[in-house]
Amino acid sequence: MSRDRFEELMSEAVIGLPHNLKNVLRIVEDPEVDDESRTTLAGALLHVLSQSVAIPGVRGTLQHVGSALVIALALEKAKAKSPEPIDGHTEAMPELLAPLEEQLEVARAFLGEGMTLLDEVASKLHEQDFQGHAAPQCVTDTESSNWLYEAVHEALIETVEIDDDDVAREIKDSPRIKKNLVARVDR
């Protein structure tokens, strides 16, 4: 797969990240989605809120690429476990779910073995915690669920700032993403 297509899809994913965080929150709140998937998706939100780095050695826009890919991997797992409820969200949030399959296909092709590091991050999302709130609590505990809702909306104002010009400029350094991921996998 081409670097150009990866950069195009990841640009869209990063620019859409603030809106997609709210969409993921809606899925976390959906009792029709299985609890394991909801917990994984809550963990993905906590991952972003804590500003965890999924791709070693990157910050800013390229760090957001890691966040977008971790969310995509969590959504892929949720779709496999709860296909009907997730498909039900596709109409309401096409910008989040419609490009999912292609995003991951292109990312896997471009990043190659480097995707294994992102898969590892995604496999531990159910263990994610931030500010005393663990992913499972954000699904089962009303107080933690309310906290997650407020924290996501607060982050959209205070910490998840996406500038289209920065994305366009920095995404051109996408080979660094691959290089850093593969270097870490080779250790």
Side-chain angles (χ1 to χ4, degrees), residues 92-137:
M93 27 184 112
E95 65 283 348
L96 175 66
L97 297 166
L100 183 65
E101 188 175 320
E102 184 184 11
Q103 283 175 346
L104 289 172
E105 179 183 329
V106 169
R108 286 180 174 116
F110 178 71
L111 298 174
E113 67 180 323
M115 271 305 276
T116 58
L117 188 61
L118 295 171
D119 286 327
E120 286 176 24
V121 170
S123 74
K124 296 177 184 170
L125 289 173
H126 65 282
E127 300 171 0
Q128 186 80 38
D129 64 70
F130 179 60
Q131 294 183 350
H133 298 275
Q137 292 173 319

mmCIF file of all heavy atoms in Angstrom, residues 92-137:
data_model
loop_
_atom_site.group_PDB
_atom_site.id
_atom_site.type_symbol
_atom_site.label_atom_id
_atom_site.label_comp_id
_atom_site.label_asym_id
_atom_site.label_seq_id
_atom_site.Cartn_x
_atom_site.Cartn_y
_atom_site.Cartn_z
ATOM 1 N N ALA A 92 -25.312 6.501 12.027
ATOM 2 C CA ALA A 92 -25.257 7.722 12.827
ATOM 3 C C ALA A 92 -23.864 8.358 12.837
ATOM 4 O O ALA A 92 -23.740 9.564 13.017
ATOM 5 C CB ALA A 92 -25.688 7.424 14.262
ATOM 6 N N MET A 93 -22.843 7.549 12.665
ATOM 7 C CA MET A 93 -21.477 8.067 12.717
ATOM 8 C C MET A 93 -20.613 7.495 11.592
ATOM 9 O O MET A 93 -19.618 6.815 11.842
ATOM 10 C CB MET A 93 -20.832 7.828 14.074
ATOM 11 C CG MET A 93 -21.322 6.666 14.877
ATOM 12 S SD MET A 93 -20.575 6.535 16.514
ATOM 13 C CE MET A 93 -21.958 6.886 17.550
ATOM 14 N N PRO A 94 -20.977 7.775 10.353
ATOM 15 C CA PRO A 94 -20.230 7.199 9.227
ATOM 16 C C PRO A 94 -18.771 7.639 9.176
ATOM 17 O O PRO A 94 -17.917 6.882 8.735
ATOM 18 C CB PRO A 94 -21.010 7.674 8.008
ATOM 19 C CG PRO A 94 -21.736 8.891 8.459
ATOM 20 C CD PRO A 94 -22.052 8.657 9.909
ATOM 21 N N GLU A 95 -18.472 8.833 9.659
ATOM 22 C CA GLU A 95 -17.094 9.326 9.617
ATOM 23 C C GLU A 95 -16.173 8.506 10.515
ATOM 24 O O GLU A 95 -14.979 8.428 10.274
ATOM 25 C CB GLU A 95 -17.028 10.816 9.989
ATOM 26 C CG GLU A 95 -17.441 11.142 11.414
ATOM 27 C CD GLU A 95 -18.949 11.130 11.673
ATOM 28 O OE1 GLU A 95 -19.764 11.085 10.724
ATOM 29 O OE2 GLU A 95 -19.322 11.156 12.859
ATOM 30 N N LEU A 96 -16.735 7.853 11.532
ATOM 31 C CA LEU A 96 -15.947 7.010 12.428
ATOM 32 C C LEU A 96 -15.845 5.588 11.908
ATOM 33 O O LEU A 96 -14.763 5.007 11.863
ATOM 34 C CB LEU A 96 -16.580 6.994 13.828
ATOM 35 C CG LEU A 96 -15.948 6.059 14.856
ATOM 36 C CD1 LEU A 96 -14.530 6.517 15.208
ATOM 37 C CD2 LEU A 96 -16.805 5.993 16.109
ATOM 38 N N LEU A 97 -16.965 5.013 11.495
ATOM 39 C CA LEU A 97 -17.012 3.587 11.208
ATOM 40 C C LEU A 97 -16.870 3.213 9.734
ATOM 41 O O LEU A 97 -16.347 2.145 9.431
ATOM 42 C CB LEU A 97 -18.295 2.999 11.794
ATOM 43 C CG LEU A 97 -18.354 3.103 13.326
ATOM 44 C CD1 LEU A 97 -19.755 2.843 13.839
ATOM 45 C CD2 LEU A 97 -17.361 2.153 13.956
ATOM 46 N N ALA A 98 -17.306 4.059 8.824
ATOM 47 C CA ALA A 98 -17.235 3.709 7.400
ATOM 48 C C ALA A 98 -15.793 3.508 6.903
ATOM 49 O O ALA A 98 -15.529 2.549 6.180
ATOM 50 C CB ALA A 98 -17.975 4.739 6.555
ATOM 51 N N PRO A 99 -14.838 4.365 7.286
ATOM 52 C CA PRO A 99 -13.471 4.170 6.770
ATOM 53 C C PRO A 99 -12.637 3.167 7.558
ATOM 54 O O PRO A 99 -11.486 2.908 7.208
ATOM 55 C CB PRO A 99 -12.861 5.567 6.882
ATOM 56 C CG PRO A 99 -13.586 6.232 7.982
ATOM 57 C CD PRO A 99 -14.975 5.647 7.976
ATOM 58 N N LEU A 100 -13.205 2.591 8.604
ATOM 59 C CA LEU A 100 -12.450 1.741 9.534
ATOM 60 C C LEU A 100 -11.680 0.621 8.842
ATOM 61 O O LEU A 100 -10.475 0.459 9.036
ATOM 62 C CB LEU A 100 -13.407 1.162 10.581
ATOM 63 C CG LEU A 100 -12.799 0.304 11.667
ATOM 64 C CD1 LEU A 100 -11.869 1.134 12.539
ATOM 65 C CD2 LEU A 100 -13.903 -0.309 12.515
ATOM 66 N N GLU A 101 -12.358 -0.151 8.022
ATOM 67 C CA GLU A 101 -11.715 -1.305 7.379
ATOM 68 C C GLU A 101 -10.546 -0.874 6.490
ATOM 69 O O GLU A 101 -9.461 -1.446 6.553
ATOM 70 C CB GLU A 101 -12.753 -2.077 6.555
ATOM 71 C CG GLU A 101 -12.238 -3.387 6.018
ATOM 72 C CD GLU A 101 -13.327 -4.179 5.305
ATOM 73 O OE1 GLU A 101 -14.477 -4.201 5.776
ATOM 74 O OE2 GLU A 101 -12.994 -4.774 4.269
ATOM 75 N N GLU A 102 -10.762 0.160 5.685
ATOM 76 C CA GLU A 102 -9.681 0.612 4.802
ATOM 77 C C GLU A 102 -8.532 1.220 5.607
ATOM 78 O O GLU A 102 -7.357 0.989 5.291
ATOM 79 C CB GLU A 102 -10.186 1.624 3.772
ATOM 80 C CG GLU A 102 -9.085 2.021 2.804
ATOM 81 C CD GLU A 102 -9.483 3.088 1.800
ATOM 82 O OE1 GLU A 102 -10.561 3.703 1.948
ATOM 83 O OE2 GLU A 102 -8.688 3.315 0.863
ATOM 84 N N GLN A 103 -8.857 1.997 6.648
ATOM 85 C CA GLN A 103 -7.801 2.587 7.476
ATOM 86 C C GLN A 103 -6.858 1.508 8.004
ATOM 87 O O GLN A 103 -5.637 1.643 7.917
ATOM 88 C CB GLN A 103 -8.405 3.334 8.672
ATOM 89 C CG GLN A 103 -8.980 4.671 8.360
ATOM 90 C CD GLN A 103 -9.664 5.273 9.575
ATOM 91 O OE1 GLN A 103 -9.931 4.604 10.576
ATOM 92 N NE2 GLN A 103 -9.969 6.553 9.488
ATOM 93 N N LEU A 104 -7.447 0.460 8.545
ATOM 94 C CA LEU A 104 -6.612 -0.593 9.132
ATOM 95 C C LEU A 104 -5.904 -1.423 8.073
ATOM 96 O O LEU A 104 -4.746 -1.818 8.270
ATOM 97 C CB LEU A 104 -7.451 -1.461 10.067
ATOM 98 C CG LEU A 104 -7.866 -0.749 11.359
ATOM 99 C CD1 LEU A 104 -8.848 -1.591 12.153
ATOM 100 C CD2 LEU A 104 -6.650 -0.385 12.200
ATOM 101 N N GLU A 105 -6.548 -1.658 6.960
ATOM 102 C CA GLU A 105 -5.897 -2.402 5.870
ATOM 103 C C GLU A 105 -4.675 -1.641 5.360
ATOM 104 O O GLU A 105 -3.590 -2.212 5.196
ATOM 105 C CB GLU A 105 -6.898 -2.636 4.732
ATOM 106 C CG GLU A 105 -6.314 -3.368 3.545
ATOM 107 C CD GLU A 105 -7.326 -3.508 2.402
ATOM 108 O OE1 GLU A 105 -8.538 -3.604 2.669
ATOM 109 O OE2 GLU A 105 -6.871 -3.501 1.245
ATOM 110 N N VAL A 106 -4.840 -0.354 5.124
ATOM 111 C CA VAL A 106 -3.741 0.471 4.618
ATOM 112 C C VAL A 106 -2.647 0.608 5.681
ATOM 113 O O VAL A 106 -1.453 0.517 5.380
ATOM 114 C CB VAL A 106 -4.271 1.845 4.151
ATOM 115 C CG1 VAL A 106 -3.133 2.814 3.881
ATOM 116 C CG2 VAL A 106 -5.140 1.678 2.902
ATOM 117 N N ALA A 107 -3.043 0.799 6.942
ATOM 118 C CA ALA A 107 -2.052 0.925 8.019
ATOM 119 C C ALA A 107 -1.243 -0.359 8.153
ATOM 120 O O ALA A 107 -0.018 -0.311 8.296
ATOM 121 C CB ALA A 107 -2.746 1.266 9.331
ATOM 122 N N ARG A 108 -1.922 -1.494 8.099
ATOM 123 C CA ARG A 108 -1.201 -2.773 8.213
ATOM 124 C C ARG A 108 -0.230 -2.966 7.046
ATOM 125 O O ARG A 108 0.883 -3.464 7.230
ATOM 126 C CB ARG A 108 -2.192 -3.921 8.299
ATOM 127 C CG ARG A 108 -2.882 -4.004 9.652
ATOM 128 C CD ARG A 108 -3.884 -5.148 9.734
ATOM 129 N NE ARG A 108 -4.399 -5.251 11.089
ATOM 130 C CZ ARG A 108 -5.676 -5.048 11.427
ATOM 131 N NH1 ARG A 108 -6.580 -4.769 10.507
ATOM 132 N NH2 ARG A 108 -6.055 -5.142 12.684
ATOM 133 N N ALA A 109 -0.650 -2.568 5.870
ATOM 134 C CA ALA A 109 0.221 -2.703 4.691
ATOM 135 C C ALA A 109 1.413 -1.746 4.784
ATOM 136 O O ALA A 109 2.547 -2.138 4.502
ATOM 137 C CB ALA A 109 -0.576 -2.461 3.416
ATOM 138 N N PHE A 110 1.159 -0.513 5.185
ATOM 139 C CA PHE A 110 2.229 0.486 5.225
ATOM 140 C C PHE A 110 3.180 0.245 6.399
ATOM 141 O O PHE A 110 4.400 0.318 6.247
ATOM 142 C CB PHE A 110 1.647 1.903 5.305
ATOM 143 C CG PHE A 110 2.695 2.978 5.388
ATOM 144 C CD1 PHE A 110 3.478 3.290 4.282
ATOM 145 C CD2 PHE A 110 2.910 3.671 6.563
ATOM 146 C CE1 PHE A 110 4.466 4.280 4.355
ATOM 147 C CE2 PHE A 110 3.887 4.660 6.654
ATOM 148 C CZ PHE A 110 4.662 4.967 5.543
ATOM 149 N N LEU A 111 2.634 -0.052 7.566
ATOM 150 C CA LEU A 111 3.461 -0.181 8.768
ATOM 151 C C LEU A 111 4.046 -1.576 8.943
ATOM 152 O O LEU A 111 4.989 -1.751 9.710
ATOM 153 C CB LEU A 111 2.640 0.204 10.009
ATOM 154 C CG LEU A 111 2.143 1.640 10.022
ATOM 155 C CD1 LEU A 111 1.222 1.876 11.207
ATOM 156 C CD2 LEU A 111 3.292 2.638 10.002
ATOM 157 N N GLY A 112 3.484 -2.549 8.235
ATOM 158 C CA GLY A 112 4.005 -3.913 8.302
ATOM 159 C C GLY A 112 4.072 -4.429 9.723
ATOM 160 O O GLY A 112 3.126 -4.286 10.501
ATOM 161 N N GLU A 113 5.222 -4.998 10.081
ATOM 162 C CA GLU A 113 5.376 -5.576 11.405
ATOM 163 C C GLU A 113 5.271 -4.536 12.514
ATOM 164 O O GLU A 113 5.043 -4.885 13.681
ATOM 165 C CB GLU A 113 6.687 -6.352 11.505
ATOM 166 C CG GLU A 113 7.922 -5.470 11.431
ATOM 167 C CD GLU A 113 9.219 -6.264 11.526
ATOM 168 O OE1 GLU A 113 9.280 -7.245 12.285
ATOM 169 O OE2 GLU A 113 10.164 -5.880 10.836
ATOM 170 N N GLY A 114 5.397 -3.279 12.171
ATOM 171 C CA GLY A 114 5.241 -2.213 13.163
ATOM 172 C C GLY A 114 3.850 -2.168 13.779
ATOM 173 O O GLY A 114 3.679 -1.693 14.901
ATOM 174 N N MET A 115 2.857 -2.708 13.073
ATOM 175 C CA MET A 115 1.496 -2.741 13.610
ATOM 176 C C MET A 115 1.394 -3.628 14.845
ATOM 177 O O MET A 115 0.481 -3.449 15.653
ATOM 178 C CB MET A 115 0.496 -3.241 12.556
ATOM 179 C CG MET A 115 -0.123 -2.196 11.660
ATOM 180 S SD MET A 115 -0.959 -0.836 12.446
ATOM 181 C CE MET A 115 -2.577 -1.521 12.764
ATOM 182 N N THR A 116 2.323 -4.554 15.013
ATOM 183 C CA THR A 116 2.239 -5.438 16.176
ATOM 184 C C THR A 116 2.348 -4.652 17.485
ATOM 185 O O THR A 116 1.714 -5.016 18.473
ATOM 186 C CB THR A 116 3.301 -6.560 16.149
ATOM 187 O OG1 THR A 116 4.600 -5.969 16.086
ATOM 188 C CG2 THR A 116 3.094 -7.491 14.976
ATOM 189 N N LEU A 117 3.113 -3.575 17.469
ATOM 190 C CA LEU A 117 3.224 -2.743 18.672
ATOM 191 C C LEU A 117 1.888 -2.071 18.976
ATOM 192 O O LEU A 117 1.460 -2.015 20.129
ATOM 193 C CB LEU A 117 4.331 -1.710 18.503
ATOM 194 C CG LEU A 117 4.690 -0.907 19.745
ATOM 195 C CD1 LEU A 117 5.186 -1.816 20.853
ATOM 196 C CD2 LEU A 117 5.727 0.137 19.420
ATOM 197 N N LEU A 118 1.216 -1.580 17.948
ATOM 198 C CA LEU A 118 -0.100 -0.965 18.144
ATOM 199 C C LEU A 118 -1.129 -2.007 18.575
ATOM 200 O O LEU A 118 -2.000 -1.721 19.397
ATOM 201 C CB LEU A 118 -0.548 -0.238 16.876
ATOM 202 C CG LEU A 118 0.320 0.962 16.489
ATOM 203 C CD1 LEU A 118 -0.060 1.487 15.113
ATOM 204 C CD2 LEU A 118 0.230 2.057 17.531
ATOM 205 N N ASP A 119 -1.024 -3.215 18.029
ATOM 206 C CA ASP A 119 -1.911 -4.306 18.452
ATOM 207 C C ASP A 119 -1.706 -4.618 19.937
ATOM 208 O O ASP A 119 -2.674 -4.890 20.655
ATOM 209 C CB ASP A 119 -1.668 -5.568 17.623
ATOM 210 C CG ASP A 119 -2.223 -5.469 16.212
ATOM 211 O OD1 ASP A 119 -3.261 -4.818 16.016
ATOM 212 O OD2 ASP A 119 -1.605 -6.068 15.306
ATOM 213 N N GLU A 120 -0.457 -4.570 20.396
ATOM 214 C CA GLU A 120 -0.170 -4.807 21.807
ATOM 215 C C GLU A 120 -0.814 -3.738 22.682
ATOM 216 O O GLU A 120 -1.392 -4.041 23.724
ATOM 217 C CB GLU A 120 1.337 -4.838 22.057
ATOM 218 C CG GLU A 120 2.028 -6.084 21.564
ATOM 219 C CD GLU A 120 3.544 -6.029 21.743
ATOM 220 O OE1 GLU A 120 4.030 -5.274 22.623
ATOM 221 O OE2 GLU A 120 4.240 -6.730 20.995
ATOM 222 N N VAL A 121 -0.707 -2.477 22.257
ATOM 223 C CA VAL A 121 -1.340 -1.385 22.998
ATOM 224 C C VAL A 121 -2.843 -1.624 23.061
ATOM 225 O O VAL A 121 -3.461 -1.535 24.128
ATOM 226 C CB VAL A 121 -1.015 -0.012 22.363
ATOM 227 C CG1 VAL A 121 -1.864 1.092 22.976
ATOM 228 C CG2 VAL A 121 0.467 0.311 22.492
ATOM 229 N N ALA A 122 -3.432 -1.963 21.917
ATOM 230 C CA ALA A 122 -4.884 -2.180 21.859
ATOM 231 C C ALA A 122 -5.307 -3.370 22.719
ATOM 232 O O ALA A 122 -6.388 -3.349 23.314
ATOM 233 C CB ALA A 122 -5.329 -2.378 20.414
ATOM 234 N N SER A 123 -4.462 -4.386 22.814
ATOM 235 C CA SER A 123 -4.820 -5.568 23.601
ATOM 236 C C SER A 123 -4.845 -5.280 25.101
ATOM 237 O O SER A 123 -5.403 -6.057 25.872
ATOM 238 C CB SER A 123 -3.861 -6.725 23.306
ATOM 239 O OG SER A 123 -2.598 -6.490 23.908
ATOM 240 N N LYS A 124 -4.263 -4.177 25.531
ATOM 241 C CA LYS A 124 -4.213 -3.833 26.955
ATOM 242 C C LYS A 124 -5.145 -2.678 27.312
ATOM 243 O O LYS A 124 -5.118 -2.203 28.455
ATOM 244 C CB LYS A 124 -2.777 -3.484 27.337
ATOM 245 C CG LYS A 124 -1.831 -4.665 27.195
ATOM 246 C CD LYS A 124 -0.413 -4.282 27.494
ATOM 247 C CE LYS A 124 0.503 -5.478 27.248
ATOM 248 N NZ LYS A 124 1.900 -5.120 27.283
ATOM 249 N N LEU A 125 -5.949 -2.238 26.378
ATOM 250 C CA LEU A 125 -6.823 -1.089 26.647
ATOM 251 C C LEU A 125 -7.791 -1.349 27.792
ATOM 252 O O LEU A 125 -8.129 -0.432 28.544
ATOM 253 C CB LEU A 125 -7.597 -0.696 25.386
ATOM 254 C CG LEU A 125 -6.769 -0.055 24.271
ATOM 255 C CD1 LEU A 125 -7.613 0.132 23.022
ATOM 256 C CD2 LEU A 125 -6.173 1.275 24.735
ATOM 257 N N HIS A 126 -8.224 -2.582 27.949
ATOM 258 C CA HIS A 126 -9.159 -2.904 29.032
ATOM 259 C C HIS A 126 -8.532 -2.693 30.413
ATOM 260 O O HIS A 126 -9.237 -2.604 31.409
ATOM 261 C CB HIS A 126 -9.675 -4.348 28.888
ATOM 262 C CG HIS A 126 -8.618 -5.377 29.060
ATOM 263 N ND1 HIS A 126 -7.707 -5.680 28.064
ATOM 264 C CD2 HIS A 126 -8.297 -6.159 30.123
ATOM 265 C CE1 HIS A 126 -6.880 -6.617 28.500
ATOM 266 N NE2 HIS A 126 -7.222 -6.928 29.754
ATOM 267 N N GLU A 127 -7.203 -2.577 30.473
ATOM 268 C CA GLU A 127 -6.489 -2.340 31.732
ATOM 269 C C GLU A 127 -6.173 -0.858 31.944
ATOM 270 O O GLU A 127 -5.641 -0.480 32.989
ATOM 271 C CB GLU A 127 -5.170 -3.113 31.731
ATOM 272 C CG GLU A 127 -5.323 -4.603 31.590
ATOM 273 C CD GLU A 127 -4.000 -5.315 31.365
ATOM 274 O OE1 GLU A 127 -2.937 -4.643 31.316
ATOM 275 O OE2 GLU A 127 -4.016 -6.546 31.226
ATOM 276 N N GLN A 128 -6.477 -0.034 30.980
ATOM 277 C CA GLN A 128 -6.113 1.390 31.010
ATOM 278 C C GLN A 128 -6.822 2.097 32.158
ATOM 279 O O GLN A 128 -7.983 1.826 32.454
ATOM 280 C CB GLN A 128 -6.497 2.034 29.675
ATOM 281 C CG GLN A 128 -6.045 3.463 29.504
ATOM 282 C CD GLN A 128 -4.593 3.578 29.101
ATOM 283 O OE1 GLN A 128 -4.099 2.797 28.324
ATOM 284 N NE2 GLN A 128 -3.919 4.575 29.630
ATOM 285 N N ASP A 129 -6.092 2.993 32.801
ATOM 286 C CA ASP A 129 -6.722 3.864 33.792
ATOM 287 C C ASP A 129 -6.104 5.245 33.696
ATOM 288 O O ASP A 129 -5.015 5.425 33.146
ATOM 289 C CB ASP A 129 -6.597 3.288 35.205
ATOM 290 C CG ASP A 129 -5.168 3.202 35.684
ATOM 291 O OD1 ASP A 129 -4.557 4.261 35.951
ATOM 292 O OD2 ASP A 129 -4.649 2.082 35.778
ATOM 293 N N PHE A 130 -6.832 6.210 34.233
ATOM 294 C CA PHE A 130 -6.375 7.595 34.204
ATOM 295 C C PHE A 130 -7.090 8.348 35.315
ATOM 296 O O PHE A 130 -8.310 8.234 35.463
ATOM 297 C CB PHE A 130 -6.664 8.217 32.830
ATOM 298 C CG PHE A 130 -6.246 9.656 32.698
ATOM 299 C CD1 PHE A 130 -4.929 10.036 32.869
ATOM 300 C CD2 PHE A 130 -7.175 10.634 32.396
ATOM 301 C CE1 PHE A 130 -4.539 11.361 32.744
ATOM 302 C CE2 PHE A 130 -6.798 11.954 32.251
ATOM 303 C CZ PHE A 130 -5.474 12.327 32.429
ATOM 304 N N GLN A 131 -6.336 9.061 36.088
ATOM 305 C CA GLN A 131 -6.853 9.869 37.184
ATOM 306 C C GLN A 131 -7.783 9.074 38.108
ATOM 307 O O GLN A 131 -8.838 9.545 38.522
ATOM 308 C CB GLN A 131 -7.555 11.119 36.658
ATOM 309 C CG GLN A 131 -6.633 12.071 35.968
ATOM 310 C CD GLN A 131 -7.318 13.350 35.519
ATOM 311 O OE1 GLN A 131 -8.533 13.478 35.549
ATOM 312 N NE2 GLN A 131 -6.518 14.310 35.093
ATOM 313 N N GLY A 132 -7.379 7.850 38.410
ATOM 314 C CA GLY A 132 -8.146 7.033 39.335
ATOM 315 C C GLY A 132 -9.377 6.372 38.756
ATOM 316 O O GLY A 132 -10.182 5.799 39.485
ATOM 317 N N HIS A 133 -9.526 6.412 37.447
ATOM 318 C CA HIS A 133 -10.682 5.797 36.786
ATOM 319 C C HIS A 133 -10.170 4.727 35.823
ATOM 320 O O HIS A 133 -9.422 5.029 34.903
ATOM 321 C CB HIS A 133 -11.505 6.842 36.029
ATOM 322 C CG HIS A 133 -12.070 7.883 36.936
ATOM 323 N ND1 HIS A 133 -13.259 7.711 37.601
ATOM 324 C CD2 HIS A 133 -11.606 9.104 37.294
ATOM 325 C CE1 HIS A 133 -13.504 8.779 38.335
ATOM 326 N NE2 HIS A 133 -12.507 9.640 38.172
ATOM 327 N N ALA A 134 -10.585 3.498 36.051
ATOM 328 C CA ALA A 134 -10.185 2.377 35.206
ATOM 329 C C ALA A 134 -11.248 2.129 34.149
ATOM 330 O O ALA A 134 -12.434 2.428 34.351
ATOM 331 C CB ALA A 134 -9.995 1.126 36.056
ATOM 332 N N ALA A 135 -10.810 1.589 33.033
ATOM 333 C CA ALA A 135 -11.729 1.335 31.911
ATOM 334 C C ALA A 135 -12.962 0.537 32.336
ATOM 335 O O ALA A 135 -14.082 0.914 31.977
ATOM 336 C CB ALA A 135 -10.987 0.657 30.760
ATOM 337 N N PRO A 136 -12.817 -0.559 33.089
ATOM 338 C CA PRO A 136 -14.020 -1.307 33.477
ATOM 339 C C PRO A 136 -15.000 -0.463 34.299
ATOM 340 O O PRO A 136 -16.213 -0.563 34.125
ATOM 341 C CB PRO A 136 -13.481 -2.473 34.303
ATOM 342 C CG PRO A 136 -12.075 -2.641 33.861
ATOM 343 C CD PRO A 136 -11.600 -1.254 33.523
ATOM 344 N N GLN A 137 -14.472 0.387 35.183
ATOM 345 C CA GLN A 137 -15.336 1.254 35.987
ATOM 346 C C GLN A 137 -16.104 2.234 35.118
ATOM 347 O O GLN A 137 -17.244 2.570 35.427
ATOM 348 C CB GLN A 137 -14.507 2.055 37.001
ATOM 349 C CG GLN A 137 -13.883 1.239 38.091
ATOM 350 C CD GLN A 137 -12.947 2.106 38.916
ATOM 351 O OE1 GLN A 137 -12.201 2.926 38.390
ATOM 352 N NE2 GLN A 137 -12.985 1.904 40.234
#
